[in-house]
Structures are given as structure tokens and as C-alpha cells.
Amino acid sequence: MPSFPTVPRSVPPYWYALSCALAGGELWQEAAENRNRAVESFRHGPMSGENRFSLQWNLCLNGLLLRFDQEERVGLEADLLSPMAPAPDRYTSVWVCLLLGRLCLKCGPVGGGLPPSGIRRRPRWVAPPPRRRRSTAPQLRAGRRRNLIQGVPPVMNQLLSILSQVPEFPQLLAAIDSGGCPAAVTGLAAVHRAHFAAGIRANTGRPVVLLCADETEAARLGEDLAALTGETVLRLPAREFTFHNAAVVSRQWEHRRLSVLRAMSTGRAPLVVATVDALLQRTLPKTLLSQAAQTLRVGEVHDLPELAERLAAAGYARCEQVEGAGQFALRGGILDFFSPAYDRPVRCEFFGDEIDSMGLFDPSSQRRTENREEAEILPVAEVLPQFAPGGYPGLLESMDQLISRVKRAKHPQPELLATLVEDRDRLEAGGSFPAVDRYIALIYPQMSTAVDYLPEDAVVCLSESPRVAERARNYQWRLEEDAKTLMESGLLPGELAVFSRTMDDLSHGLSDYPVVFLDTFSSSSYPLRPRSLLDVMAKQLPSYGASPETAAADLEHY
């Protein structure tokens, strides 16, 4: 184990604590003594803003090393974030703590477990009860207590509760509750947008849907929301339509979309991050998804042949051994199926007609890895011919009518006619084909998108609404160009070339929900006319990228 020179006393305590964290805990005892000295000095006398901020860092980083007790952390943080400090300094310093706290957590097993071998951990210092101070805002403290989320680290709870001290945030909550939406909030960087969305969720208790322009932003905001709230954040991606009969078609994105759509329709989606493409795309109606989905529970009675027929109707392919999503196997009293709702297949063991046990298993070893009390069957694709009105017979009748219209057209289209006849023959044979997305408008005559799955009491937030609107226009243009190419090639009739809604349609669909625009700058045009305009004074700190020098420079500045 490498040795480190003694740090001189002129080095600030927060820099010394950060060095201990990055060193992997070798200076464990000295870090603990340093923390105790700093805490005692804080308890017995007033501190300047710079020393207070240094102490914040000393406590934050040493807390990662020595695992403060929860009561101890709450008491110390309540003192450090007291109303005695200016609000802007308090708001900025907490965000610095969050960023560098993440950096230390990525450095290995420093945040928990036992100290390195050969070093004896000293008894923990027990914090005295915090002094009670008279507060001029008792309602604010009560609001903080209401905002605490169970299972979230105290630092994250402080980050959420501190929003009540930003004047614009209570105004935003009032606008959401009193019908003052759409509301436009400007001055927010990416991390602040996640912070506001998490605060809305914590204060209102309503589902929050965060709409982004691209997948990269959606992934980043989803991670921030999960860290701030401690709740599961579902990410609804867009998928690529399959317009050509390829040999192999991946349904990975469709499976993820179906799982998220099902969770949204059943009220199991408290936080959803989606791209605008994902909300614009045409998909199966909500009622059809509810009819096709089924939940199996241990102890229920099911007829195995009927259950196998239901799986086949949902698009599952029967095989000898389940290896991939969308497959099922039936051997005696054992039913295996791979639902899009899970990352592993499900095995149901029957005793007669009763489900005796159920669990997930590894498809390579066929060994059970997790027991479950219930499992959900979801369709394997968003577009299934058997879901058309009237099933396969109804779809064949619609295809016949379409072929008759093409034959009677003034301008003959032999390529299109040959394509329609070939696809009809495939459907009549009782099977689907990869390019069935071309007939989504025929299979689902009613236009349905993910907007129809939004929870009734959801709050919809748009991250950078100008970018969202621009991405929606670009996506609509790309789909129109793809449709033109298909029509020129004789692969798609013009009356079926409707694969998504427009941005105007999306805005109209969102008008029934409280909509919040979370932007960096104000815009001259919004998807919906705002009723409330709020401007927040916030500053985003740069990413340190595991660079302690940059972090120390920022700490000295603030």
C-alpha cells in the first residue's frame, strides 16, 4: 500500500478530506480526527461563510468514509443549511456537494464496509443534539419535513427541501394546483431541470413525465431524477419502424416501450422520461394492450392449452426451449415464456391446473434465479395483425378492399398491386411478416400514441421546449420522406402513410395536463401559450471529471 506524506496544517480541511477519499481510505484515522476538530469548532463559535463552506465539505466527504448515522447526518445538515446563511450561497454549495459526492462514490468501496486492513477504526463520534433556534418561518420547516422522501439519502432530501427557499418554485407549485399552467420557467440548466422535476414530484405526489429532445438527454435526466428522488424512473424510447422485409428484425426497443406503456396504463410509473419521438409515434391503442396483457399469480387456476393459445395470440412463438424474448415452451406441467416485461424468461410450474410455483430462470443454464409471486404477459410487438378489428378475417377483408381500390385507380401501379397481393397471401397463411409496420393504419384505424397512456393526474415537463419542438418537426419531416420513398417504390399506398402525430397534435393532446416548460432562455414561441412566466437565478457548475484540482479551485472560489 503506498504511503502519503503528512499534509501541512495550511491545507484546508475539505481538501484534506477529499484527498483521503480519493486515496482509498489509507488516512482513515486522521480524517476522522480532522472531522471531529472541525465539528467541535463549529459547535462552540460562529463561523465565516468560507469556513462554514469548508466544514460542509469536511462533513460531506468524511461522511462518505465513516458512514454517519442517519440522525447525526440530519442534525448536522440542518445546522449547515440553516436560514442564517445567504440563500444563493446555500443553493450553490449544496449542488457542489452533490457533484463531488458522486465523484467520491465512484472511487470504490470507500463509502462503506470496513476500513483498510491494518487500520483500526476508532469509535464513532456521537454528535450532541443540535441547538434549537428560533425560526421566523415555522411553515418553511414544516414544508421541509413534508418533502422528505423515505429511502432517499438526507443530502438528497435537503436538495429537494431547499427548493422551497427559491421564490419561483412555490409559485410554480401554486400554478400547478390552481390551473395556472402552462408555466414557463427560464434560467435552468440541465441539472436544475432535473431538480425542479424531482421537486414537483416530491411536493405534489403526482406522476411526472419529462419530455426531452434526444436519447442522450433523456438518459442523463433519468439518472439525475433517480438519484434525487430514490424512485424508479422509466425511460420511454422511440423505435424505428420496419418498412422492409428483413431477414432478422430486432424488437428490443419495442419490448422496452411495451413494458413502459403497460406501467403507465396501470399507474406504476411515478416518473417517466421520454423523447418527443416516442410520444409522437403511432402505437397500439391502450384498450388493446390492456386486453392482451395478463398477470399470472401463484395459486391461480388456468387451463394450460388455453394459456398457450393466449400466448400465441399475443405474438409469442412456440419452441422446444425458450432462448429469446417472444418465445414460449410447454412441457407437461411446466410453462416457460419470455415476456417483454422482464430481462429473463419466466417458468410456471403447475400442479394440475393450479400454478404451484413461479420464477425467473437463466435461459443458458435453465436454472431458476429468482422466485416470483406473479408474472405479467405482454404482447411481443406493437403491431400485430390479429389485433385488427375482426382479427385476421377482418384484416383480410380490409386488404381486399384496398387491393380493389388500387385496381380501379386511374393511374395503374403494378408494383404496389403486387406488394399488396403478396402481403395478403402471407396474412392468409396465418402468419405475420417483418414489414407489417406498413399497415399499422389498417390494423389500428384509430390513431393512438403514447400520449393516450399518460396518467390522468400527471404533470408534463418539457426540457428545453424549443429543442423539443424542433426535434418533433425534424422527425415528422423524416417520416414523410420515408413514406414518399416507399410510395415511389410501390411498397406503400398513400392512404396508409400516417405513422405519427404532428407537434400541433401533441400540443393539443397535452393541453389537458399541467404543462411546465423548463428552459434555459425565454422563447418567443411555445408549444402552448404560457399563463405563468417565472425566471430563476441559478448557476450550473462544470463537471469535474475526477479532477481534484478543478474541484479544489471551485471550492476556494465559493
Side-chain angles (χ1 to χ4, degrees), residues 35-50:
R35 182 195 67 174
N36 294 343
R37 288 196 300 269
V39 170
E40 289 298 328
S41 64
F42 173 68
R43 295 292 185 189
H44 294 90
M47 301 182 66
S48 63
E50 181 179 357

Side-chain angles (χ1 to χ4, degrees), residues 86-108:
D89 292 344
R90 186 166 63 253
Y91 187 73
T92 306
S93 65
V94 172
W95 274 113
V96 180
C97 290
L98 173 62
L99 294 175
L100 272 186
R102 287 185 177 179
L103 170 65
C104 295
L105 286 173
K106 293 180 179 179
C107 295

Side-chain angles (χ1 to χ4, degrees), residues 459-474:
V459 178
V460 181
C461 301
L462 274 68
S463 176
E464 290 289 8
S465 56
R467 291 185 60 238
V468 170
E470 181 182 2
R471 177 62 179 259
R473 290 190 294 268
N474 292 338

Side-chain angles (χ1 to χ4, degrees), residues 197-213:
I200 293 173
R201 167 62 182 167
N203 284 270
T204 65
R206 302 170 64 169
V208 174
V209 179
L210 189 56
L211 193 58
C212 308

Side-chain angles (χ1 to χ4, degrees), residues 336-352:
D336 296 342
F337 64 93
F338 203 147
S339 172
Y342 310 103
D343 58 351
R344 287 164 292 173
V346 179
R347 173 163 294 165
C348 301
E349 297 181 358
F350 284 77
F351 183 77

Side-chain angles (χ1 to χ4, degrees), residues 240-241 243 276-277 280 468-487 497 499-504:
E240 291 292 336
F241 288 104
F243 296 133
V276 65
D277 311 5
L280 292 175
V468 170
E470 181 182 2
R471 177 62 179 259
R473 290 190 294 268
N474 292 338
Y475 179 72
Q476 184 69 25
W477 174 83
R478 184 166 63 87
L479 277 183
E480 291 175 355
E481 292 298 314
D482 291 343
K484 290 178 182 179
T485 303
L486 292 172
M487 288 186 290
F499 299 101
S500 72
R501 293 186 186 270
T502 63
M503 187 60 193
D504 293 338

Side-chain angles (χ1 to χ4, degrees), residues 321-324 338 344-345 347 361-367 369:
Q321 181 173 306
V322 173
E323 298 178 350
F338 203 147
R344 287 164 292 173
R347 173 163 294 165
F361 68 93
D362 184 359
S364 58
S365 63
Q366 295 292 308
R367 292 182 178 273
T369 58

Side-chain angles (χ1 to χ4, degrees), residues 249-256 258 311 314-319 321-329 336-346 361 363 378-381:
V249 177
S250 174
R251 303 285 184 184
Q252 178 182 0
W253 297 112
E254 285 187 73
H255 294 164
R256 182 180 298 181
L258 288 166
L311 287 168
Y316 289 78
R318 186 164 184 171
C319 58
Q321 181 173 306
V322 173
E323 298 178 350
Q327 297 178 344
F328 81 97
D336 296 342
F337 64 93
F338 203 147
S339 172
Y342 310 103
D343 58 351
R344 287 164 292 173
V346 179
F361 68 93
L378 294 181
V380 299

